Amino acid sequence: MSDKYLQEELDRLEASGNYRRLVPAEHFGCEVETGGRRMLNLSSNDYLGLASDLELRREFLDSLHPEDFRMGSSSSRSLSGEFPVCGLVERKLAQMFGKEAALVFNSGYHMNLGILPAIAGKDTLIVADKLVHASIIDGIRLSGASFSRFRHNNMEHLGNILEREHAGYRQIIIVVESVYSMDGDMADLKSICGFKRRYGNVSVYVDEAHAFGVYGPSGTGLAAALGCAADIDYLCGTFGKALGSVGGFVACSGVVREFLINRMRPFIYSTALPPLNWMWTGFLLEKLPDMDSRREHLACISAMLRKAVSDAGYPMPSDSHIVPVLIGDTVETVRKAAALRAKGFFALPVRPPTVPEGSSRLRFSLTADMTEDAVSSLIKALEDEM
Ligand SMILES: *Cc1c(COP(=O)(O)O)cnc(C)c1O
């Protein structure tokens, strides 16, 4: 009976072109092989090419001893899952961001789902950008806080909300991303931090999921690049994207760290990441400052692709390595993605509900291990298809 109900829902998804399928794939550097075809992988968040770098993996493996090879931590960190490497990685992160402390979570999803309900209650207003990630929305919902959204990147709208509401709440938390995952555009972090200085009860929460590793000195993100990391109370990111590992983190004050250890449910009630994974993360964090040439190459091929798409007449909101081709119609988007796959370019179409109705798109995410030639052939294939 329940299956019948669910199947009807699935049929509706299929009919509207929004059905999701898991496609088995094998990975070879920046290429992916699926359905017997090898393609340039334009759907990966391995922005620096670290996850697919075999040399790095060899070097890491060579540094290990059998006792390091622990693939499970066997409890949450508040029980006995706290290994020495946890403190090492968190102190390293705090130092990189110039913060008192840092705390690592099992994923970026846990991070957003857990921090907001821990720090926000009924006397809190959360003001978030209209386009924040699903994990942030879920965290806000769980928090029970009052919630208001401002139009995407619209500082005037944000300012109006703060002016109208600031006296009515004990605290207001502004929540934004630094680089947005669907348009590839960037938040005006300087203005946002300016609001914090104007009102005494405002704090700032920034999710650097797509910027950590890619922007800023030593890859510390957009806030650091803009010189406003010190003004951000909750400077968050994930290891799952540019860093080529897994986990989420917040760089924060010592008080925030202690508070989260005591109050954040996904932190308290979930088994810690395996020590081996912490070691891989620590290994890569040490390498991050040496990755400038990868960051520069990524910036160069990204500018190339953005210009080509824009020259072809599509709106180009992006300033980053995430490059959308805003087609609009879902069926047409799915068709173009299939045509590109046939030519050796793996980019999945992005459709509602991931993006607003009527804004279906191809979304290319570029990685530093792609050559200029590979991006030129993508541009050529796009021109033939558009
Ligand atoms: C990917 C992403 C997350 C989730 O991070 P994971 O480590 O993959 O769970 C959170 N926030 C944003 C903005 C993201 O893009």
Side-chain angles (χ1 to χ4, degrees):
M1 186 59 208
S2 71
D3 269 14
K4 183 164 169 289
Y5 170 80
L6 301 179
Q7 188 59 53
E8 283 166 12
E9 284 295 307
L10 286 174
D11 293 345
R12 264 192 286 280
L13 283 177
E14 178 91 71
S16 61
N18 291 326
Y19 197 97
R20 294 163 192 259
R21 286 189 174 79
L22 299 177
V23 186
E26 284 201 73
H27 297 263
F28 306 89
C30 60
E31 295 186 328
V32 61
E33 191 172 309
T34 166
R37 196 194 309 272
R38 198 182 275 209
M39 294 168 279
L40 188 68
N41 188 355
L42 294 150
S43 299
S44 166
N45 301 318
D46 184 23
Y47 301 132
L48 294 179
L50 300 183
S52 59
D53 189 320
L54 266 177
E55 269 314 304
L56 279 176
R57 263 181 269 167
R58 275 198 198 99
E59 188 186 332
F60 176 67
L61 282 174
D62 286 345
S63 75
L64 294 178
H65 303 286
E67 59 271 24
D68 296 329
F69 206 83
R70 183 162 171 149
M71 288 301 291
S73 61
S74 311
S75 85
S76 76
R77 289 177 65 191
S78 9
L79 296 176
S80 60
E82 183 73 0
F83 291 79
V85 65
C86 305
L88 290 176
V89 167
E90 286 174 348
R91 280 192 292 278
K92 173 79 192 163
L93 279 169
Q95 175 230 321
M96 285 172 68
F97 288 99
K99 296 277 186 193
E100 280 175 20
L103 191 64
V104 169
F105 315 106
N106 291 0
S107 72
Y109 188 86
H110 282 80
M111 161 188 95
N112 287 327
L113 191 77
I115 296 178
L116 291 167
I119 60 175
K122 296 223 177 306
D123 52 1
T124 304
L125 173 67
I126 296 176
V127 188
D129 188 283
K130 184 82 173 55
L131 294 190
V132 292
H133 192 257
S135 57
I136 295 176
I137 300 295
D138 291 356
I140 293 170
R141 283 196 184 129
L142 272 177
S143 75
S146 300
F147 173 35
S148 173
R149 291 216 233 187
F150 61 96
R151 288 191 285 282
H152 179 54
N153 272 344
N154 187 324
M155 293 300 103
E156 197 185 328
H157 192 202
L158 170 60
N160 291 344
I161 294 173
L162 294 174
E163 185 56 33
R164 192 175 66 230
E165 305 285 357
H166 76 277
Y169 292 90
R170 198 165 136 226
Q171 67 166 343
I172 297 183
I173 307 172
I174 303 173
V175 182
V176 296
E177 294 176 30
S178 56
V179 172
Y180 283 88
S181 56
M182 289 303 139
D183 287 342
D185 55 346
M186 295 174 177
D188 181 357
L189 294 179
K190 280 191 163 166
S191 300
I192 289 167
C193 291
F195 289 125
K196 179 186 146 120
R197 283 191 291 273
R198 177 164 340 155
Y199 305 105
N201 59 343
V202 168
S203 49
V204 178
Y205 183 113
V206 178
D207 182 345
E208 296 246 36
H210 297 279
F212 177 60
V214 179
Y215 299 99
S218 300
T220 40
L222 191 65
L226 298 174
C228 50
D231 287 328
I232 293 166
D233 304 87
Y234 307 92
L235 187 44
C236 301
T238 171
F239 300 141
K241 289 174 177 146
L243 199 72
S245 183
V246 67
F249 68 86
V250 60
C252 55
S253 69
V255 172
V256 165
R257 182 176 188 272
E258 291 307 304
F259 187 83
L260 293 174
I261 291 170
N262 283 278
R263 279 282 192 270
M264 178 173 155
R265 295 171 65 87
F267 181 85
I268 299 172
Y269 295 109
S270 184
T271 300
L273 288 171
L276 185 67
N277 191 269
W278 280 90
M279 293 178 79
W280 172 239
T281 297
F283 171 84
L284 293 171
L285 286 177
E286 294 293 336
K287 300 272 181 205
L288 210 46
D290 304 328
M291 298 294 164
D292 281 345
S293 61
R294 296 195 194 212
R295 284 186 277 273
E296 280 157 24
H297 177 67
L298 181 62
C300 167
I301 56 177
S302 304
M304 239 173 88
L305 182 59
R306 288 196 309 264
K307 178 170 187 312
V309 174
S310 165
D311 287 352
Y314 290 90
M316 182 44 64
S318 171
D319 299 309
S320 71
H321 53 288
I322 297 169
V323 182
V325 183
L326 287 151
I327 292 167
D329 180 64
T330 296
V331 175
E332 185 57 14
T333 306
V334 171
R335 194 195 63 74
K336 286 198 160 91
L340 282 176
R341 282 201 295 279
K343 292 183 168 168
F345 301 97
F346 186 73
L348 294 175
V350 184
R351 318 159 249 194
T354 307
V355 292
E357 214 52 62
S359 75
S360 286
R361 67 199 62 193
L362 299 172
R363 172 184 179 273
F364 301 120
S365 73
L366 298 182
T367 61
D369 51 352
M370 291 175 185
T371 61
E372 236 179 87
D373 280 353
V375 177
S376 297
S377 351
L378 167 65
I379 291 171
K380 174 84 180 48
L382 270 173
E383 283 165 356
D384 294 346
E385 212 41 62
M386 294 300 165

